Structures are given as structure tokens and as C-alpha cells.
């Protein structure tokens, strides 16, 4: 199967557990009720200003409306059916490699091997929110941007790339570079067709897998080592390439 660039809704329709994964993440992360302004709050409305503004009721209400609109623009409005269920197993999988560059380069082939081991013949990748993956650019991610655009990913595209694992593999390394160095870029999610499994690219060059079925969770767990992945003994994702935990080249852009 050759690579396709499709809409988010089309990707969700063909990858129902990816849809479940993204909808659950958005419901938690993009809930305006969890982060509201209240009268009396002190807020720096001007990033260059020295003094905070004490919010009146009217100003707090205005800021809440603006915040709600911003979050709504990021959320999907997928009207198709969603699978019932919730994640029952979270697995951190570390691709092989002694450096972040090596690990990112080896992650695509390792993911292809994993798909073959699990009988998955199609992978979908898309940003976790309705923002383009290539929204931020800095020196550390320059080559990744150029590679992804050469592969057909447009800077303003917020949909999904779908294809056979071997067709998706060339995207994986550059996408990890984006996840690692571009702190303002959206999280990047993926789904594996035919499996009740979905996940995300992590800034530590690890895959995060959420399994929604016990059988698929066990199959995934048993297949990882044979495909070159390591699973941390404590199950916790961490920075494995820096003694201090700092990520070289990572930048946050407040106005990407």
C-alpha cells in the first residue's frame, strides 16, 4: 500500500482506536473548565510588561471566551462512531540506538518490524490536535523539516499520513526530531490498523503505546524485544541520552 495523505476524519474512520485515543486525550488536555480565569487573578497580559493585571469580572469573562475558542479550534469534531473502552495498558518502548540521532534513525525500521510481527499492514500518523506538525521550525529541526517536506508533508497540513509500515518508516525518524526539538509543535499520534493499540511519539525518542484490549496488549509486550525495542523495568519514560535530563536543541516558540 502506497502512502496517502488524508483528512483527520478519514483517518479516524479507518483507525477507530486511534480516534478513541485522540478523542480521550483532547477531552482531558483541552478542557476549558480545568483552566479558567477568575476575577481577582493577576495575569501578565503583555509578555514584555513588568506588572500583572488584576482581572475584573468582565475581563476574566472575556479571557475565558477567548481561551474556549482557542481550545475549540484545536479539538476534533469527529461525528463517526467511537469504540467503547479505555486504555488498559500503557507501554514505553525505546527504539535501539546509543544516541538520539541513532535511535530516531532506527525507530522507523523497528516499527515496521513490530507491525509485521503483530500482523499490522497499515499505520496512520497525525498531530494530536488540529495543528500542523511543521508549525515550528528551528535550527535543530531544520533537516527534519526538509526531509518531511521532500516526503510530501506540507507545512500547513494537519491531517494524517497513512500507509504500509515500510512506506511510513521514512517519516518516523524526522518526526521524532520534531517531537524532540520543537516544543511548540503538537504531540504526534499514531494508530496500527487491526489492533486495539494507539500511541504517540515522545520527546525522549520513545514510543508510547496505549492498548485497549488485553490480548493485543500481551501480543505487543511479547513482540517488542524481538523487534529491537527495550522496555524500561519501571515502565517510566525518561531521558536516556542526557545525564541532566536536558534535551539539546529543544526550543519553545510562544508564537509559532
Amino acid at each position: 500500500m502506497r502512502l496517502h495523505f488524508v483528512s483527520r476524519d478519514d483517518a479516524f474512520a479507518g483507525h477507530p482506536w486511534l480516534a478513541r485515543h485522540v478523542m480521550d486525550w483532547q477531552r482531558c488536555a483541552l478542557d476549558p473548565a480545568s483552566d479558567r480565569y477568575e476575577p481577582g487573578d493577576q495575569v501578565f497580559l503583555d509578555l514584555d510588561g513588568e506588572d500583572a493585571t488584576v482581572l475584573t469580572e468582565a475581563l476574566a469573562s472575556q479571557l475565558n471566551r477567548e481561551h474556549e475558542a482557542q481550545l475549540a479550534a484545536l479539538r476534533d469534531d469527529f461525528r463517526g462512531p467511537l469504540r467503547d473502552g479505555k486504555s488498559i495498558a500503557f507501554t514505553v518502548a525505546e527504539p535501539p540506538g546509543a544516541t538520539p540521532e541513532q535511535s530516531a534513525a532506527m525507530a522507523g525500521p523497528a516499527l515496521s518490524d513490530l507491525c509485521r510481527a503483530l500482523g499490522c499492514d497499515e499505520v496512520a500518523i497525525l498531530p494530536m490536535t488540529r495543528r500542523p506538525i511543521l508549525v515550528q521550525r528551528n535550527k535543530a529541526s531544520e533537516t527534519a523539516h526538509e526531509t518531511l517536506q521532500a516526503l510530501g508533508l506540507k507545512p500547513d497540513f494537519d491531517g494524517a499520513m497513512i500507509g504500509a509500515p515500510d512506506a511510513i518508516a521514512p517519516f518516523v525518524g524526522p518526526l521524532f526530531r520534531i517531537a524532540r526539538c520543537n516544543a511548540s509543535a503538537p504531540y504526534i499520534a499514531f494508530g496500527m490498523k487491526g489492533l486495539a493499540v494507539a500511541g504517540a511519539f515522545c520527546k525522549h525518542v520513545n514510543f508510547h503505546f496505549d492498548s485497549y484490549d488485553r490480548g493485543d496488549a500481551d501480543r505487543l509486550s511479547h513482540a517488542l524485544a524481538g523487534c529491537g525495542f527495550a522496555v524500561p523495568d519501571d515502565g517510566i519514560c525518561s531521558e536516556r541520552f542526557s545525564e541532566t535530563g536536558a534535551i539539546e536543541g529543544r526550543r519553545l516558540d510562544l508564537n509559532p
Side-chain angles (χ1 to χ4, degrees):
M1 176 186 177
R2 67 185 183 88
L3 185 79
H4 296 276
F5 293 93
V6 304
S7 71
R8 299 177 66 84
D9 280 0
D10 284 347
F12 292 148
H15 289 256
W17 289 110
L18 174 61
R20 173 83 275 167
H21 185 70
V22 171
M23 296 302 117
D24 287 348
W25 186 93
Q26 290 184 1
R27 186 175 63 253
C28 292
L30 304 178
D31 179 10
S34 65
D35 185 21
R36 294 186 61 81
Y37 296 97
E38 300 293 342
D41 286 351
Q42 297 186 42
V43 178
F44 285 92
L45 298 178
D46 183 355
L47 293 179
D48 296 323
E50 296 182 359
D51 298 321
T53 297
V54 178
L55 299 184
T56 63
E57 183 173 353
L59 187 51
S61 178
Q62 176 188 333
L63 291 177
N64 284 327
R65 289 194 301 272
E66 292 174 355
H67 186 52
E68 289 168 6
Q70 291 168 352
L71 294 181
L74 296 175
R75 289 194 299 268
D76 284 286
D77 187 25
F78 180 59
R79 302 300 179 90
L82 285 175
R83 293 286 175 88
D84 291 331
K86 60 181 181 179
S87 174
I88 60 170
F90 174 73
T91 305
V92 176
E94 301 172 349
T99 67
E101 292 78 16
Q102 289 177 358
S103 193
M106 299 175 75
L111 180 63
S112 292
D113 290 345
L114 180 64
C115 288
R116 280 189 285 272
L118 296 174
C120 168
D121 62 2
E122 182 180 294
V123 176
I125 298 175
L126 82 173
M128 194 77 82
T129 61
R130 293 170 55 190
R131 295 183 73 216
I133 289 173
L134 300 182
V135 69
Q136 182 191 4
R137 190 169 189 150
N138 59 34
K139 184 177 180 179
S141 64
E142 189 77 24
T143 299
H145 272 254
E146 293 173 355
T147 300
L148 290 169
Q149 290 186 64
L151 290 169
L153 182 62
K154 298 185 183 306
D156 61 349
F157 183 66
D158 67 359
M161 56 205 85
I162 292 180
D166 287 347
I168 288 292
F171 288 82
V172 173
L175 288 174
F176 264 126
R177 191 64 178 169
I178 298 295
R180 187 166 178 81
C181 296
N182 290 2
S184 298
Y187 287 121
I188 303 169
F190 65 89
M192 305 167 73
K193 193 165 190 177
L195 300 172
V197 175
F201 289 67
C202 172
K203 65 184 178 183
H204 300 305
V205 199
N206 297 330
F207 286 114
H208 293 178
F209 291 96
D210 277 286
S211 300
Y212 297 81
D213 172 82
R214 176 51 58 189
D216 284 349
D218 290 344
R219 291 172 60 210
L220 173 68
S221 178
H222 294 149
L224 284 170
C227 300
F229 291 96
V231 177
D233 291 337
D234 59 6
I236 297 175
C237 182
S238 61
E239 175 56 35
R240 44 195 177 107
F241 306 111
S242 167
E243 293 182 358
T244 65
I247 297 177
E248 184 179 358
R250 187 168 178 80
R251 298 289 184 271
L252 176 68
D253 184 352
L254 296 179
N255 295 292

